[in-house]
Amino acid sequence: MSQVFLRRLSRWQAEDQRDDFADLQSVAYRGTPQEATYDRDEFLRRFADHVQQPEFEMIIASNPALVGCSYGFRVDRDSTWWDGFQDIPEHIEQLTASQHVFCLAELMVLPEERRHHVGGKLHDQVLSRSGAPVAITLLEPGDVPARTAFQAWGWTKTGQLHRRSDATPLEAWIRQAP
């Protein structure tokens, strides 16, 4: 394994490299339960929305080629991000109404770089830059590797959210800042 370097990208840099992130997503999710639900066009559509969210933060890992990335943004009660979901559980609504919450929207690492702590470093760096006391992320049901990693990083499953465009619920996970 070669040394991996982390770097923060501005909103403009992230938007400029969106095709690279779509390529990364295609390889990172190949052969996983998410492969069927993550097509390139859908990723690009979501990414275009996410990069415009308030307090967008993105960290990439490279060696020098892109091997992983993590990004997110602030969500509150009035965030347009919630528009994509129906029947949001009351405890999650209360959480976002009472404090600054960071949505960890994406964390992906190439298969050959997994188990070398790249994901953990990306995770820690993007959360520390956010400065939020609470973070939320959504995981696909049945994604055991992601669930295992997030549990090891101190996250707790708190419920489910249903996308308006898909009947399959997503698991909502919360992490309090250390």
Side-chain angles (χ1 to χ4, degrees):
M1 179 185 93
S2 60
Q3 187 169 3
V4 173
F5 298 94
L6 300 183
R7 181 169 58 105
R8 179 184 180 270
L9 296 187
S10 69
R11 188 184 308 265
W12 176 82
Q13 290 169 316
E15 179 63 30
D16 191 51
Q17 296 180 40
R18 69 184 174 275
D19 287 325
D20 295 336
F21 304 126
D23 293 343
L24 173 66
Q25 180 259 343
S26 296
V27 176
Y29 290 118
R30 190 174 298 140
T32 69
Q34 301 93 306
E35 182 177 22
T37 60
Y38 281 86
D39 73 57
R40 182 183 180 84
D41 291 337
E42 177 61 19
F43 172 82
L44 289 169
R45 186 199 60 72
R46 275 194 334 267
F47 186 75
D49 177 59
H50 291 167
V51 78
Q52 298 304 315
Q53 296 296 322
E55 298 179 35
F56 176 83
E57 286 291 338
M58 182 170 210
I59 307 294
I60 64 166
S62 57
N63 71 351
L66 182 66
V67 299
C69 74
S70 181
Y71 73 82
F73 43 86
R74 179 177 50 86
V75 292
D76 56 30
R77 172 180 269 161
D78 299 325
S79 176
T80 59
W81 181 72
W82 295 111
D83 295 345
F85 301 98
Q86 59 187 359
D87 303 324
I88 299 166
E90 187 175 330
H91 69 281
I92 293 176
E93 281 188 359
Q94 290 174 348
L95 181 72
T96 60
S98 64
Q99 56 193 319
H100 179 99
V101 176
F102 184 78
C103 172
L104 179 59
E106 189 65 68
L107 191 152
M108 53 187 160
V109 177
L110 292 177
E112 61 270 18
E113 294 295 334
R114 294 178 189 152
R115 305 224 187 288
H116 296 287
H117 306 290
V118 174
K121 290 175 184 175
L122 287 165
H123 167 271
D124 293 349
Q125 190 69 227
V126 78
L127 288 181
S128 69
R129 290 205 49 89
S130 79
V134 177
I136 186 169
T137 196
L138 303 175
L139 300 179
E140 295 284 337
D143 188 347
V144 175
R147 181 182 296 130
T148 301
F150 278 87
Q151 283 176 327
W153 295 330
W155 293 73
T156 304
K157 182 180 173 188
T158 188
Q160 294 183 338
L161 290 176
H162 296 267
R163 285 189 192 118
R164 291 187 189 282
S165 62
D166 185 359
T168 306
L170 297 170
E171 297 177 354
W173 288 68
I174 300 289
R175 180 177 186 256
Q176 304 287 333

